[in-house]
């Protein structure tokens, strides 16, 4: 039932930003950890860049957000076997250093008994994101049951993120196509001010309408 609700909440929005925010928020609430960060590729870069950081406690957010907002090299993630499989990795000092990026900065916390885990979010054999969780209290370490739940959560998140990502790409293409058909600027006519307001139905970014200006001979 819990995962049905999670799946429903992920699919409620086709906005990529809202979807990734829902993933990190749900991970923290469901697994009882202190922080979650979801990183995704940006353009053709070699790093996964944070797209959503969720730290409910404001006091902790001030200390943790600068650390969790660091990028993560994709090559180091896949180099530890976190590539085409949804294998979660519970971090220790050695693996955190090998991962580099923002994960390496978690080493001081791990030395004090905190625990962290990273799991790739995989769709069609491609790493489309990586989700990292952090539990600061040594008495609430991330155990095997939590890791298994996280892997299930990552599978649900993969579907939602991939759908939202695909929708964003299609909407971007449609938007570019529509703008290429619309006039770049209104005509300049003495004594007449010409302008336009366009709002597609259903509060969508892209609609099916086009318009143009025509200057008549008279």
């Amino acid at each position: 039932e819990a995962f049905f609700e999670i799946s429903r909440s992920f699919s409620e929005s086709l906005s990529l930003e809202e979807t990734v925010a829902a993933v990190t928020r749900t991970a923290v609430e469901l697994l009882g950890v202190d922080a979650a960060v979801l990183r995704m590729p940006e353009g053709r870069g070699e790093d996964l860049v944070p797209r959503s950081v969720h730290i409910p406690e404001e006091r902790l957010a001030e200390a943790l957000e600068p650390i969790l907002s660091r990028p993560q090299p994709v090559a180091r993630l896949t180099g530890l076997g976190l590539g085409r499989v949804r294998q979660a990795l519970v971090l220790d000092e050695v693996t955190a250093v090998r991962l580099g990026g923002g994960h390496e900065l978690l080493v001081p916390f791990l030395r004090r008994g905190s625990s962290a885990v990273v799991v790739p979010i995989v769709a069609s054999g491609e790493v489309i994101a990586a989700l990292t969780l952090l539990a600061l209290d040594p008495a609430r370490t991330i155990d095997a049951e939590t890791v298994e739940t996280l892997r299930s959560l990552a599978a649900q998140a993969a579907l939602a993120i991939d759908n939202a990502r695909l929708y964003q790409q299609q909407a971007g293409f449609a938007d570019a196509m529509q703008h290429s058909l619309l006039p770049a600027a209104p005509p300049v006519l003495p004594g007449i001010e010409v302008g336009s307001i366009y709002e597609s139905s259903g509060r969508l970014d892209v609609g099916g309408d086009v318009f143009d200006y025509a200057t008549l001979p008279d």
Side-chain angles (χ1 to χ4, degrees):
E1 185 179 347
F3 276 103
F4 172 77
E5 290 299 322
I6 289 167
S7 179
R8 187 177 60 81
S9 67
F10 287 173
S11 61
E12 280 178 350
S13 171
L14 284 173
S15 161
L16 184 59
E17 294 304 317
E18 290 180 14
T19 300
V20 297
V23 171
T24 52
R25 183 180 65 252
T26 301
V28 169
E29 293 173 356
L30 179 68
L31 301 175
V33 295
D34 295 298
V37 54
L38 188 141
R39 296 177 173 90
M40 295 183 67
E42 189 171 70
R44 297 183 180 273
E46 298 179 351
D47 289 339
L48 297 174
V49 179
R51 292 292 294 268
S52 176
V53 179
H54 186 65
I55 308 168
E57 193 172 330
E58 188 175 339
R59 179 180 58 85
L60 295 177
E62 293 179 5
L64 293 178
E65 194 157 352
I67 295 172
L68 298 180
S69 296
R70 298 290 185 93
Q72 168 62 45
V74 179
R76 294 204 182 187
L77 193 73
T78 55
L80 286 174
L82 299 178
R84 297 183 181 276
V85 295
R86 298 183 182 92
Q87 179 185 352
L89 177 67
V90 178
L91 300 186
D92 55 26
E93 294 178 35
V94 175
T95 53
V97 171
R98 289 180 64 189
L99 279 173
H103 291 104
E104 188 172 3
L105 299 178
L106 296 177
V107 168
F109 298 93
L110 299 175
R111 284 175 180 160
R112 291 197 292 267
S114 299
S115 55
V117 60
V118 56
V119 61
I121 294 176
V122 181
S124 302
E126 174 195 1
V127 177
I128 60 171
L131 179 62
T132 301
L133 306 184
L134 176 64
L136 294 176
D137 189 350
R140 291 190 297 114
T141 57
I142 296 173
D143 55 18
E145 184 180 349
T146 302
V147 169
E148 193 57 35
T149 305
L150 175 60
R151 291 179 70 246
S152 299
L153 179 67
Q156 297 279 352
L159 293 173
I161 292 173
D162 199 37
N163 285 340
R165 189 179 61 157
L166 182 61
Y167 175 78
Q168 187 179 65
Q169 290 171 351
Q170 292 174 337
F173 175 75
D175 185 54
M177 286 292 294
Q178 183 174 14
H179 276 85
S180 72
L181 298 173
L182 296 177
V188 177
L189 300 171
I192 299 178
E193 219 177 88
V194 182
S196 65
I197 295 175
Y198 175 79
E199 184 176 352
S200 56
S201 63
R203 298 191 177 183
L204 299 173
D205 294 329
V206 180
D209 302 312
V210 295
F211 65 89
D212 202 352
Y213 303 100
T215 305
L216 302 179
D218 59 353

